[in-house]
Amino acid sequence: MKVIVFGATGTVGTLAVQQMLEDGHTVTAFARKPEKLNLSHPALTRVAGDALQPKSAADAIKGHDAVVITLGSGMSRKSVIRSEGTMNVINGMQKHGVDRLICQSTLGAHESWSNLNFFWKRIMFGLLLRPVFLDHELQESLVRASGLNWTIVRPGAFADGPATGGYKENFAPSERALTLKISRADIAAFLSRQVSDLRYAGRAVAISN
Protein backbone atom coordinates (compact mmCIF):
# COMPACT_ATOMS: atom_id res chain seq x y z
CA MET A 1 0.00 0.00 0.00
CA LYS A 2 1.00 3.61 -0.46
CA VAL A 3 1.25 5.17 3.01
CA ILE A 4 2.05 8.70 4.17
CA VAL A 5 3.44 9.24 7.67
CA PHE A 6 2.94 12.62 9.37
CA GLY A 7 5.61 13.22 11.99
CA ALA A 8 8.02 10.96 10.15
CA THR A 9 11.19 12.29 11.80
CA GLY A 10 10.05 11.78 15.39
CA THR A 11 11.39 8.96 17.52
CA VAL A 12 8.40 6.72 16.76
CA GLY A 13 7.74 8.11 13.29
CA THR A 14 11.21 7.24 12.03
CA LEU A 15 10.90 3.66 13.21
CA ALA A 16 7.39 3.44 11.78
CA VAL A 17 8.62 4.55 8.36
CA GLN A 18 11.42 2.00 8.52
CA GLN A 19 9.06 -0.80 9.59
CA MET A 20 6.53 -0.01 6.87
CA LEU A 21 9.24 -0.11 4.24
CA GLU A 22 10.38 -3.47 5.59
CA ASP A 23 6.76 -4.66 5.43
CA GLY A 24 6.64 -3.85 1.72
CA HIS A 25 4.73 -0.58 1.70
CA THR A 26 5.56 2.46 -0.39
CA VAL A 27 6.07 5.25 2.13
CA THR A 28 5.97 9.04 2.00
CA ALA A 29 7.70 10.69 4.95
CA PHE A 30 6.08 14.07 5.70
CA ALA A 31 7.94 16.41 8.04
CA ARG A 32 9.15 19.98 8.29
CA LYS A 33 12.71 18.74 7.76
CA PRO A 34 12.42 15.30 6.12
CA GLU A 35 16.13 15.33 5.31
CA LYS A 36 16.64 14.48 8.99
CA LEU A 37 15.28 11.01 8.26
CA ASN A 38 18.42 8.88 8.01
CA LEU A 39 16.97 6.21 5.75
CA SER A 40 17.58 5.20 2.17
CA HIS A 41 15.09 3.01 0.31
CA PRO A 42 13.73 2.92 -3.25
CA ALA A 43 10.15 2.93 -1.93
CA LEU A 44 10.70 6.01 0.25
CA THR A 45 9.72 9.56 -0.73
CA ARG A 46 10.40 12.61 1.43
CA VAL A 47 8.01 15.55 1.46
CA ALA A 48 8.78 18.80 3.30
CA GLY A 49 5.74 20.43 4.81
CA ASP A 50 3.99 21.66 7.91
CA ALA A 51 0.99 19.77 9.29
CA LEU A 52 -0.26 23.05 10.75
CA GLN A 53 -0.70 24.40 7.21
CA PRO A 54 -3.95 22.96 5.77
CA LYS A 55 -2.89 23.08 2.10
CA SER A 56 0.52 21.61 2.83
CA ALA A 57 -1.03 18.62 4.59
CA ALA A 58 -3.85 18.11 2.08
CA ASP A 59 -1.66 18.28 -1.01
CA ALA A 60 0.68 15.63 0.37
CA ILE A 61 -2.15 13.18 1.06
CA LYS A 62 -3.45 12.94 -2.51
CA GLY A 63 -2.85 9.54 -4.11
CA HIS A 64 -2.17 7.58 -0.93
CA ASP A 65 -4.05 4.55 0.39
CA ALA A 66 -3.51 5.16 4.10
CA VAL A 67 -2.32 7.82 6.52
CA VAL A 68 -0.37 7.30 9.75
CA ILE A 69 -0.11 10.13 12.29
CA THR A 70 2.78 10.15 14.76
CA LEU A 71 2.82 13.88 15.35
CA GLY A 72 4.65 15.11 18.44
CA SER A 73 5.64 18.39 20.01
CA GLY A 74 9.17 17.60 21.14
CA MET A 75 9.95 19.43 24.37
CA SER A 76 7.02 21.83 24.02
CA ARG A 77 4.23 21.40 26.55
CA LYS A 78 1.93 23.95 24.91
CA SER A 79 1.95 22.84 21.27
CA VAL A 80 -1.35 21.95 19.62
CA ILE A 81 0.30 20.12 16.73
CA ARG A 82 -1.50 16.89 17.57
CA SER A 83 -5.03 18.26 17.44
CA GLU A 84 -4.66 21.00 14.81
CA GLY A 85 -2.33 18.95 12.63
CA THR A 86 -4.67 15.97 12.83
CA MET A 87 -7.64 18.13 11.88
CA ASN A 88 -5.77 19.33 8.78
CA VAL A 89 -4.90 15.74 7.90
CA ILE A 90 -8.52 14.65 8.31
CA ASN A 91 -9.73 17.47 6.06
CA GLY A 92 -7.13 16.52 3.46
CA MET A 93 -8.16 12.87 3.57
CA GLN A 94 -11.80 13.77 3.11
CA LYS A 95 -10.93 16.07 0.23
CA HIS A 96 -8.92 13.46 -1.64
CA GLY A 97 -10.98 10.39 -0.78
CA VAL A 98 -8.36 8.65 1.37
CA ASP A 99 -10.14 6.60 4.02
CA ARG A 100 -7.69 4.62 6.17
CA LEU A 101 -6.28 6.53 9.17
CA ILE A 102 -4.03 5.22 11.95
CA CYS A 103 -3.39 7.76 14.71
CA GLN A 104 -0.92 7.33 17.55
CA SER A 105 -2.26 8.80 20.77
CA THR A 106 -1.36 7.88 24.37
CA LEU A 107 -2.39 5.40 27.01
CA GLY A 108 -4.51 7.28 29.53
CA ALA A 109 -6.67 9.11 27.02
CA HIS A 110 -10.41 8.94 27.67
CA GLU A 111 -11.53 5.58 29.09
CA SER A 112 -7.94 4.26 29.31
CA TRP A 113 -7.31 6.78 32.12
CA SER A 114 -8.18 3.92 34.47
CA ASN A 115 -5.09 1.99 33.34
CA LEU A 116 -2.74 4.60 34.77
CA ASN A 117 -1.14 4.59 38.20
CA PHE A 118 -0.96 7.46 40.69
CA PHE A 119 2.28 8.85 39.23
CA TRP A 120 0.89 9.18 35.71
CA LYS A 121 -2.53 10.42 36.81
CA ARG A 122 -1.41 13.01 39.33
CA ILE A 123 2.15 13.99 38.43
CA MET A 124 2.72 13.48 34.70
CA PHE A 125 -0.67 13.95 33.04
CA GLY A 126 -2.22 15.69 36.03
CA LEU A 127 0.46 18.35 36.30
CA LEU A 128 3.64 18.30 34.19
CA LEU A 129 2.15 17.21 30.84
CA ARG A 130 -1.43 18.35 31.33
CA PRO A 131 -1.63 20.49 28.13
CA VAL A 132 -0.06 17.68 26.08
CA PHE A 133 -2.53 15.17 27.48
CA LEU A 134 -5.54 17.39 26.75
CA ASP A 135 -4.30 17.86 23.18
CA HIS A 136 -4.16 14.07 22.79
CA GLU A 137 -7.73 13.77 24.03
CA LEU A 138 -8.91 16.44 21.58
CA GLN A 139 -6.97 14.70 18.81
CA GLU A 140 -8.79 11.45 19.54
CA SER A 141 -12.19 13.17 19.54
CA LEU A 142 -11.46 14.65 16.11
CA VAL A 143 -10.46 11.26 14.73
CA ARG A 144 -13.59 9.61 16.10
CA ALA A 145 -15.80 12.27 14.51
CA SER A 146 -14.02 12.15 11.14
CA GLY A 147 -16.17 9.52 9.45
CA LEU A 148 -12.98 7.84 8.24
CA ASN A 149 -11.88 4.23 8.64
CA TRP A 150 -9.75 4.99 11.69
CA THR A 151 -7.77 3.19 14.35
CA ILE A 152 -6.39 5.00 17.39
CA VAL A 153 -3.29 3.46 18.97
CA ARG A 154 -2.65 4.21 22.66
CA PRO A 155 0.88 3.19 23.69
CA GLY A 156 2.34 3.37 27.16
CA ALA A 157 5.39 5.54 27.83
CA PHE A 158 8.08 5.25 25.16
CA ALA A 159 11.10 3.13 26.02
CA ASP A 160 14.31 2.25 24.22
CA GLY A 161 15.04 -1.26 23.04
CA PRO A 162 14.21 -3.65 20.21
CA ALA A 163 10.79 -4.87 19.16
CA THR A 164 9.87 -7.96 21.15
CA GLY A 165 6.18 -8.41 20.33
CA GLY A 166 5.69 -9.39 23.95
CA TYR A 167 3.52 -6.44 24.96
CA LYS A 168 -0.16 -6.59 25.87
CA GLU A 169 -2.66 -5.22 23.37
CA ASN A 170 -6.36 -4.40 23.37
CA PHE A 171 -6.66 -4.71 27.13
CA ALA A 172 -9.57 -3.31 29.12
CA PRO A 173 -9.49 -0.07 31.13
CA SER A 174 -9.62 -2.28 34.23
CA GLU A 175 -6.19 -3.82 33.46
CA ARG A 176 -3.71 -2.92 36.20
CA ALA A 177 -0.83 -5.38 35.70
CA LEU A 178 1.15 -3.03 33.46
CA THR A 179 4.59 -1.45 33.52
CA LEU A 180 3.04 1.39 31.48
CA LYS A 181 6.04 1.28 29.13
CA ILE A 182 6.62 -0.07 25.62
CA SER A 183 9.55 0.18 23.22
CA ARG A 184 9.32 2.58 20.32
CA ALA A 185 10.18 -0.30 18.01
CA ASP A 186 7.16 -2.27 19.24
CA ILE A 187 4.93 0.77 18.72
CA ALA A 188 6.28 1.16 15.16
CA ALA A 189 5.62 -2.49 14.37
CA PHE A 190 2.07 -2.23 15.70
CA LEU A 191 1.39 0.92 13.68
CA SER A 192 2.65 -0.77 10.53
CA ARG A 193 0.42 -3.76 11.13
CA GLN A 194 -2.66 -1.53 11.29
CA VAL A 195 -2.16 -0.29 7.73
CA SER A 196 -3.61 -3.48 6.26
CA ASP A 197 -5.02 -5.27 9.35
CA LEU A 198 -8.53 -3.96 10.04
CA ARG A 199 -9.32 -5.89 13.22
CA TYR A 200 -9.18 -2.64 15.21
CA ALA A 201 -10.97 -0.45 12.68
CA GLY A 202 -13.19 2.06 14.42
CA ARG A 203 -11.55 1.36 17.77
CA ALA A 204 -8.99 2.82 20.16
CA VAL A 205 -6.56 0.07 21.15
CA ALA A 206 -4.14 0.19 24.06
CA ILE A 207 -0.66 -1.37 23.90
CA SER A 208 1.83 -1.61 26.76
CA ASN A 209 4.01 -3.95 28.76
Side-chain angles (χ1 to χ4, degrees):
M1 295 179 71
K2 191 172 183 182
V3 185
I4 182 168
V5 179
F6 285 84
T9 57
T11 58
V12 171
T14 296
L15 292 173
V17 169
Q18 182 176 349
Q19 185 63 57
M20 290 171 200
L21 291 168
E22 292 177 4
D23 290 343
H25 298 295
T26 299
V27 181
T28 299
F30 182 100
R32 283 176 294 179
K33 297 180 179 180
E35 66 275 7
K36 291 173 59 179
L37 190 66
N38 190 24
L39 292 173
S40 180
H41 195 284
L44 173 64
T45 301
R46 291 172 172 81
V47 171
D50 186 348
L52 291 175
Q53 298 297 321
K55 188 176 188 304
S56 178
D59 288 350
I61 289 168
K62 185 177 181 180
H64 289 86
D65 302 306
V67 175
V68 175
I69 295 176
T70 61
L71 291 170
S73 55
M75 298 301 292
S76 173
R77 291 187 294 174
K78 297 182 179 180
S79 172
V80 291
I81 182 67
R82 294 175 180 87
S83 59
E84 292 191 7
T86 295
M87 190 71 256
N88 289 335
V89 169
I90 289 170
N91 288 336
M93 293 178 69
Q94 293 169 339
K95 177 180 179 180
H96 294 297
V98 180
D99 190 50
R100 183 65 176 137
L101 173 61
I102 300 101
C103 180
Q104 177 225 306
S105 179
T106 185
L107 186 63
H110 296 290
E111 72 279 1
S112 68
W113 178 257
S114 298
N115 293 122
L116 302 183
N117 58 24
F118 178 87
F119 174 75
W120 278 98
K121 286 180 177 179
R122 304 302 175 213
I123 306 302
M124 296 303 289
F125 288 156
L127 181 63
L128 298 178
L129 299 177
R130 186 64 176 169
V132 172
F133 178 74
L134 292 176
D135 201 44
H136 267 306
E137 291 213 314
L138 177 55
Q139 177 188 42
E140 287 200 11
S141 296
L142 295 171
V143 170
R144 288 176 180 274
S146 67
L148 300 170
N149 181 15
W150 55 266
T151 296
I152 293 169
V153 179
R154 293 172 173 163
F158 300 166
D160 295 328
T164 67
Y167 55 87
K168 297 179 181 181
E169 68 178 74
N170 193 34
F171 45 83
S174 58
E175 177 65 56
R176 296 291 185 276
L178 300 166
T179 66
L180 302 178
K181 295 181 180 180
I182 184 171
S183 74
R184 294 173 178 83
D186 272 328
I187 299 169
F190 190 83
L191 290 169
S192 183
R193 195 207 320 163
Q194 305 318 301
V195 172
S196 53
D197 185 346
L198 300 180
R199 76 180 74 180
Y200 296 128
R203 296 174 61 186
V205 55
I207 57 173
S208 183
N209 289 303

